[in-house]
């Protein structure tokens, strides 16, 4: 690669926002043994606004062509591994969700 070159790193996956959240719910329900579909009631739809993204997509063509880069993990496997990591590491993210992390951050960095 040339110095200063910019590359988009992606896995050739396009998902609408709603399709991705439905897939995440399906995986979590499956991993936790929840009643399939029951968690969908937790989805809160918001009114679309100007500039509201309906999907996110990254074109990795340049990095593939220039550097021969390919993802090691395909999305379907990676999303399950990611969900499982969060399920197995509740202490880590519950600290953030509870606001305790913010208290730590303010204590450590507010006087700089």
């Amino acid at each position: 690669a040339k110095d200063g070159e910019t590359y988009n790193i992606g896995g050739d996956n396009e998902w609408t926002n709603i399709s991705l959240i439905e897939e995440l719910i399906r995986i979590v329900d499956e991993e936790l043994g929840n009643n399939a579909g029951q968690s969908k009631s937790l989805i809160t739809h918001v009114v679309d606004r100007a500039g509201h993204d309906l999907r996110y997509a990254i074109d990795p063509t340049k990095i593939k062509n220039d550097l021969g880069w390919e993802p090691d993990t395909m999305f379907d496997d990676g999303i399950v591994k990611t969900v499982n990591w969060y399920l197995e590491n509740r202490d880590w993210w519950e600290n953030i969700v509870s606001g305790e992390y913010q208290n730590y951050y303010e204590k450590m960095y507010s006087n700089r």
Side-chain angles (χ1 to χ4, degrees):
K2 293 181 257 175
D3 285 348
E5 201 66 33
T6 301
Y7 294 97
N8 292 323
I9 301 173
D12 287 321
N13 280 282
E14 280 193 43
W15 291 74
T16 62
N17 294 349
I18 191 65
S19 294
L20 182 54
I21 197 64
E22 288 172 347
E23 177 66 3
L24 286 167
I25 287 171
R26 186 195 66 73
I27 294 167
V28 169
D29 281 349
E30 185 176 294
E31 296 298 320
L32 296 178
N34 292 343
N35 184 7
Q38 184 179 8
S39 300
K40 281 190 178 183
S41 67
L42 299 173
I43 297 173
T44 302
H45 294 273
V46 296
V47 177
D48 281 343
R49 62 195 185 286
H52 189 133
D53 295 322
L54 299 177
R55 67 176 178 84
Y56 299 97
I58 293 176
D59 180 3
T61 303
K62 182 178 172 184
I63 196 168
K64 286 180 177 186
N65 291 343
D66 289 4
L67 304 178
W69 182 89
E70 294 281 342
D72 287 337
T73 303
M74 295 293 102
F75 182 83
D76 291 343
D77 295 330
I79 196 70
V80 172
K81 288 178 183 179
T82 300
V83 167
N84 282 325
W85 187 91
Y86 279 94
L87 292 174
E88 293 166 5
N89 292 279
R90 289 184 72 108
D91 290 347
W92 180 83
W93 60 264
E94 282 179 343
N95 186 39
I96 295 169
V97 172
S98 73
E100 188 58 35
Y101 174 77
Q102 187 63 37
N103 294 337
Y104 168 82
Y105 186 85
E106 287 174 13
K107 179 181 175 185
M108 297 303 290
Y109 299 105
S110 64
N111 293 324
R112 288 185 169 203

